Amino acid sequence: MAIPLRDGGPAARIAVIPGDGIGKEVTPEAVKVIKAVCAPTKRGTGRNMEFVEFDWGADKYLKEKVSLPPGAVEMLRDEFDAILFGALGDPRVPSNQHAADILLGLRFKLDLYVNARPVELYHQKFTPLRDRREEDIRMMVFRENTEGLYVGVGGFFKKDTPDEIAFQEDVNSRKGVERIIRYAFEYARAKGLKRVCMSDKSNAMTFAHDLWQRVFKQVRAEYADIDSRHLYIDTLAMEMIRDPRQFDVIVTNNLFGDIISDLGAQLAGGLGLAPSGNIHPGRTSLFEPVHGSAPNIAGKGIANPLGSVLASAMMLEFLGWHPEAQSLRAAVKAAVHENFVTADLGGDKSTIQVGDWLAASVAKNLSD
Ligand code: ATP
């Protein structure tokens, strides 16, 4: 299977779901930067990008008791190429029910089985590791996104008694394991990357991860051009810190991917800079910053929009618009190197100032 890529055609329809908290502040900045990079200019491609915004989030949930409206999944699937997502979470909804309905609902119902979490160091000063340069920390983590311990199979026995038992099943299908492992190899091949590492805990999880072992063995045999290896998850965690240069592409299950990709985000400067994609190749896919709604800073105009802008770059790449994606990344890099950033990265700029600067930067590069 080759990764079915979008044709990179001139038009796309994007559903924009800013959500709650700082999602509402960073997402408009990302849209602003995308519009700037798609504007028709001397050198610009003049892509026709249509944005449709949806107000799904805590306000709507509290007012109308609606989280993911009926028919929303089908509409997104049939009428949109991609979804640009902000963040969900609000102290007024302690159960976080609306977030579970919307985000997990979309991940499962759109079958977004690839969670892509790039780890890329944009400035040496952001890594907590000593003596690591930008080129030392550059890898892609692929987390299985639809199975594992997240499917909600489990239960309680004798709940709230001293004899209580709680259990949660780790669900792994052959199809599910194979498609994420294969995606990792295809991605490596498409990007000219030489190394794929599959990580599990098959020495302890002798059934579920035995399946990962057998599928990995079968799939890797088809990719002799790629140097593939296996590490237990505990070893991988150590090795990512000891020497991150070893890794190009990492593929793992839902739970381990959750943890290891946050480890990766910290290696590269923390939550404010980390993007992610929830992808089903060839179908409507969802792109979001890794951070949440951050109620502690929401409404202050100081949220860092770079994670959302980098998620937008992933979305443009998914659409086959590689020069535009590259232009967004270059603008982020320039902002970071000129210290035109928000307080979390050591700067003093507002969310909107950073968005305006990035939009001007991509527009200038297109017209130069
Ligand atoms: P959630 O919405 O997932 O429940 P959260 O919003 O409480 O989580 P995170 O988004 O994971 O938490 O972020 C933790 C903290 O990191 C935030 O409270 C905030 O202080 C900081 N932070 C996260 N994202 C950003 C950002 N984009 N800009 C500035 N600070 C951020």
Side-chain angles (χ1 to χ4, degrees):
M1 141 193 137
I3 298 175
L5 294 172
R6 296 270 164 167
D7 60 5
R13 282 193 97 212
I14 306 300
V16 180
I17 308 174
D20 303 329
I22 64 169
K24 287 190 200 161
E25 298 172 53
V26 297
T27 312
E29 298 312 309
V31 170
K32 186 192 287 176
V33 184
I34 299 172
K35 282 184 176 163
V37 83
C38 293
T41 59
K42 241 188 321 169
R43 284 194 26 233
T45 39
R47 307 277 192 189
N48 181 8
M49 179 83 105
E50 187 192 347
F51 295 95
V52 181
E53 188 170 321
F54 296 93
D55 63 350
W56 307 338
D59 285 342
K60 191 178 180 72
Y61 181 68
L62 289 168
K63 230 185 300 158
E64 302 168 23
K65 283 276 156 280
V66 172
S67 50
L68 192 60
V73 173
E74 295 73 14
M75 175 198 61
L76 293 171
R77 185 192 62 204
D78 298 339
E79 298 174 24
F80 290 89
D81 298 286
I83 303 161
L84 182 62
F85 199 87
L88 287 171
D90 188 304
R92 295 170 300 163
V93 189
S95 66
N96 233 8
Q97 188 57 45
H98 70 301
D101 290 351
I102 297 172
L103 191 52
L104 296 183
L106 291 178
R107 275 187 196 160
F108 281 98
K109 290 180 186 152
L110 291 172
D111 197 26
L112 305 175
Y113 68 88
V114 180
N115 188 220
R117 297 266 305 255
V119 175
E120 186 165 357
L121 184 60
Y122 277 84
H123 195 300
Q124 191 173 2
K125 69 182 175 188
F126 292 146
T127 184
L129 300 184
R130 199 176 52 229
D131 300 333
R132 292 294 176 203
R133 295 159 305 166
E134 286 167 30
E135 57 272 29
D136 293 341
I137 301 179
R138 196 165 294 159
M139 65 189 95
M140 177 63 96
V141 178
F142 289 121
R143 161 189 177 189
E144 203 294 320
N145 214 21
T146 52
E147 301 193 340
L149 278 158
Y150 286 67
V151 297
V153 175
F156 304 105
F157 180 52
K158 299 185 181 174
K159 193 170 181 205
D160 292 329
T161 73
D163 297 324
E164 176 166 355
I165 296 170
F167 58 95
Q168 191 105 27
E169 296 296 334
D170 186 11
V171 175
N172 297 264
S173 71
R174 177 174 275 275
K175 179 179 135 196
V177 174
E178 179 169 345
R179 67 184 181 174
I180 188 70
I181 292 180
R182 201 172 276 287
Y183 188 89
F185 277 101
E186 284 294 330
Y187 177 88
R189 195 178 262 174
K191 293 278 176 191
L193 300 170
K194 289 278 159 261
R195 298 167 299 181
V196 170
C197 175
M198 189 281 275
S199 187
D200 63 19
K201 190 69 185 165
S202 46
N203 49 350
M205 302 186 65
T206 50
F207 302 111
H209 294 185
D210 185 71
L211 176 62
W212 279 75
Q213 283 290 328
R214 283 180 282 125
V215 172
F216 180 56
K217 190 170 170 209
Q218 172 209 318
V219 174
R220 76 194 293 193
E222 297 170 34
Y223 296 86
D225 50 320
I226 290 168
D227 173 14
S228 57
R229 69 168 164 157
H230 164 259
L231 288 178
Y232 295 124
I233 190 67
D234 42 343
T235 310
L236 174 63
M238 288 194 297
E239 290 298 318
M240 280 174 71
I241 291 174
R242 192 184 65 78
D243 186 4
R245 290 173 304 182
Q246 304 170 61
F247 302 106
D248 290 333
V249 176
I250 293 169
V251 59
T252 187
N253 64 53
N254 208 335
L255 177 66
F256 295 168
D258 187 20
I259 300 166
I260 221 74
S261 55
D262 272 16
L263 192 159
Q266 287 306 324
L267 288 183
L271 282 178
L273 271 166
S276 74
N278 297 268
I279 298 169
H280 188 122
R283 295 201 207 161
T284 310
S285 296
L286 183 152
F287 300 84
E288 57 177 335
V290 168
H291 64 74
S293 58
N296 59 328
I297 58 162
K300 295 185 179 159
I302 56 168
N304 181 357
L306 297 184
S308 187
V309 172
L310 290 172
S312 305
M314 292 180 79
M315 182 175 79
L316 297 180
E317 195 155 274
F318 167 80
L319 294 169
W321 300 1
H322 302 285
E324 287 85 354
Q326 206 35 49
S327 178
L328 256 55
R329 293 197 183 99
V332 167
K333 187 157 192 165
V336 156
H337 279 260
E338 296 192 23
N339 203 33
F340 203 99
V341 290
T342 45
D344 58 305
L345 294 182
D348 60 0
K349 303 298 180 245
S350 71
T351 312
I352 292 178
Q353 282 175 317
V354 174
D356 286 345
W357 193 94
L358 294 171
S361 167
V362 295
K364 181 173 178 306
N365 286 343
L366 286 176
S367 58
D368 277 350

